[in-house]
Amino acid sequence: MVSRVIPVDSFDLVIFGGTGDLARRKILPGLFRRYASGQMPDEGRIIGAARSDMTCDEFRTMVKEAVEEFDPKSAKDTENLEKFLERVFYVAVDAKGDGGWKELGDLLRPDMIRAFYFSVAPSLFGTIAERLKTFELADDDARIVVEKPFGKDLETARALNKSLAEHFHEGQIYRIDHYLGKETVQNLMAVRFGNMLFEPLWNSQYVDHIQITVAETVGVGGRGSYYDTSGAMRDMVQNHLMQLLCLIAMEPPAKFDPDAVRDEKLKVIRALDPVEPHHIVRGQYSASEKCASYREDVENPRSFTESFVAMRCEISNWRWAGTPFYMRTGKRLKARTSEIAVVFKDAPHSIFGAEAGVHRNVLTIRLQPNEGMTLGVTIKEPGPGGMRLVDVPLDMTFAEALGPDAEEVPDAYERLIMDVIRGNQTLFMRGDEVEAAWAWTDPIINGWTNRNDVPKPYDTGSAGPDDALMLMHRDGRRWREIKE
Ligand code: NAD
């Protein structure tokens, strides 16, 4: 099976913050891969816009080095890389002042799709949006792409939405959550809504519980000062984990169109119960022989910010009442892995007797590493040893089906940028969704602040604090092992 590449229409894509970390690591190498695959048309152009004074040639050299550093495999295609660089331009723009805007306008071509990627600090979103209009660079068809974090609470998210809405209508605003661009996340929708097999079982009558785990092995790295004002709840749960929860829990939309999908996700967020304090555990990693502690990493010996959070959530609607959703995420954990596990209930009665043991079907949706899905099915252990049961995985990993092409599955960022050019907002968060997510997380975070809650220490390389294990044990359940 060969995946088809359908070229998008010609475009001018301006990347504000084109010299920054995100642009160099993800956006520019991703665009090069889309060019090399034939999806970015020859008439497509990328214009870096940032504070640094540099020429187009210097920017092209930077882009080349970024591709070589962050995607050495693709960079070997030097012929395409050179052609791609011819489509790259640069203009020095001061987001807060008037310098460079006219020059940027001169570079933009009429009658092309225009997209503006705000890969800059969120404090600049409003001023860039305003200047795009003042300098008449964006009409009602232009698109703007904004990065996370989208606010730090409901109030700031509302203010940000308001400042963007003064210049752009909702249909022009693409709020990125790169988890939504992952192949498996979309595959989850295909599996749920493209098959008869799962949907009848997708409810509290058949599903015992759901686990969502996003585990990292790294610490806060160079982002210490930002992270310490954020923590795992704001940095990961409010956006990525909640988006995954929505896709698992939502009702089938009437159509696969942006607003129909996002309406259903919003209903899930609004149906989430407040989380009781005893249903949530916060942690902070301790020092190990090789690694510093969280507090050392963020250079704040009295920090109460969490680098780990685990919680039990409930969704109050007909489909899910009685089925808990357990979510956890953290840094410096045992392995780097992101997965969703849908754990089905036991068969109501075992005809095979106690010796057969307890077996459960688990549908595992793995986001990284090795994106794919596996369904655990109970079968008879082969051989003459009587009726012993064993769980075997039914592998739905597309690598198997697509063969060598599976390696070419686009990275989340590339897919999302192509969706921006196509004008498809399905995999982007709508303003009301983001606000609803903050409305749910704010009371949890405020509760910690008001109680001076101190996160529990946990060992680097562990599965988080022991209390997180207890959160499940109390319910007679256990977390899945964190492993690659
Ligand atoms: P960065 O600090 O590496 O780069 C910032 C960029 O903004 C630079 O190109 C700089 O020249 C430009 N800039 C700063 N002030 C400017 C001004 N006044 N006028 C014009 N340009 C200006 O930041 P980053 O890590 O690339 O992050 C960019 C955005 O993406 C942030 O909102 C961040 O939260 C978000 N983000 C980053 C990552 C990541 O992995 N780096 C991941 C998710 C989200």
Side-chain angles (χ1 to χ4, degrees), residues 16-23 25 49-52 93-96 118-122 124-125 147-149 413:
F16 290 104
T19 57
D21 177 66
L22 182 68
R25 269 189 322 113
R51 234 178 349 188
S52 322
V93 173
D94 180 8
K96 289 185 183 159
F118 295 8
S119 181
V120 292
L124 297 176
F125 293 174
E147 263 298 336
K148 83 166 207 186
Y413 274 96

Side-chain angles (χ1 to χ4, degrees), residues 418-472:
M418 291 299 110
D419 277 357
V420 173
I421 305 300
R422 276 193 287 252
N424 186 340
Q425 289 185 305
T426 310
L427 300 174
F428 296 82
M429 294 179 295
R430 211 168 52 191
D432 51 1
E433 248 184 281
V434 177
E435 290 185 14
W438 281 121
W440 182 75
T441 39
D442 271 5
I444 299 172
I445 297 171
N446 294 341
W448 295 333
T449 313
N450 296 340
R451 290 195 304 276
N452 287 327
D453 190 84
V454 184
K456 304 272 187 293
Y458 63 92
D459 291 339
T460 288
S462 71
D466 289 345
D467 287 28
L469 304 181
M470 287 309 297
L471 184 77
M472 285 282 250

Side-chain angles (χ1 to χ4, degrees), residues 40-224:
M40 174 177 154
D42 274 339
E43 283 297 300
R45 287 201 325 192
I46 295 148
I47 302 162
R51 234 178 349 188
S52 322
D53 240 335
M54 60 165 84
T55 62
C56 264
D57 279 344
E58 285 166 339
F59 185 63
R60 285 176 180 165
T61 306
M62 192 216 82
V63 174
K64 183 166 182 264
E65 285 167 2
V67 176
E68 285 166 350
E69 180 178 353
F70 296 107
D71 189 358
K73 193 175 151 215
S74 303
K76 286 195 186 125
D77 182 357
T78 48
E79 196 185 324
N80 267 325
L81 186 52
E82 288 308 321
K83 283 199 221 154
F84 173 72
L85 293 174
E86 287 167 19
R87 284 151 186 88
V88 171
F89 300 83
Y90 183 79
V91 53
V93 173
D94 180 8
K96 289 185 183 159
D98 292 341
W101 290 94
K102 184 177 170 312
E103 291 76 3
L104 178 59
D106 291 343
L107 266 181
L108 295 171
R109 297 166 295 174
D111 306 324
M112 290 278 163
I113 292 168
R114 274 186 199 179
F116 300 92
Y117 199 127
F118 295 8
S119 181
V120 292
S123 57
L124 297 176
F125 293 174
T127 112
I128 295 181
E130 188 257 315
R131 278 175 170 70
L132 284 173
K133 281 293 160 109
T134 310
F135 287 89
E136 296 181 358
L137 304 189
D139 61 13
D140 282 354
D141 195 40
R143 289 120 215 217
I144 60 169
V145 184
V146 292
E147 263 298 336
K148 83 166 207 186
F150 200 88
K152 63 181 182 62
D153 53 22
L154 178 57
E155 195 187 330
T156 49
R158 269 193 188 140
L160 205 46
N161 273 334
K162 191 162 166 280
S163 72
L164 296 179
E166 280 169 22
H167 309 287
F168 293 92
H169 61 80
E170 184 61 36
Q172 298 182 278
I173 306 171
Y174 291 73
R175 295 174 193 77
I176 286 237
D177 185 321
H178 70 274
Y179 270 57
L180 293 180
K182 289 185 181 283
E183 181 74 17
T184 316
V185 167
Q186 291 158 75
N187 211 0
L188 170 62
M189 286 193 270
V191 165
R192 275 195 67 191
F193 306 132
N195 295 284
M196 192 55 208
L197 196 59
F198 294 102
E199 210 41 33
L201 308 180
W202 210 260
N203 55 53
S204 59
Q205 199 181 342
Y206 296 101
V207 176
D208 179 73
H209 72 279
I210 284 161
Q211 300 188 19
I212 302 176
T213 299
V214 176
E216 297 176 281
T217 49
V218 293
V220 294
R223 298 167 69 219

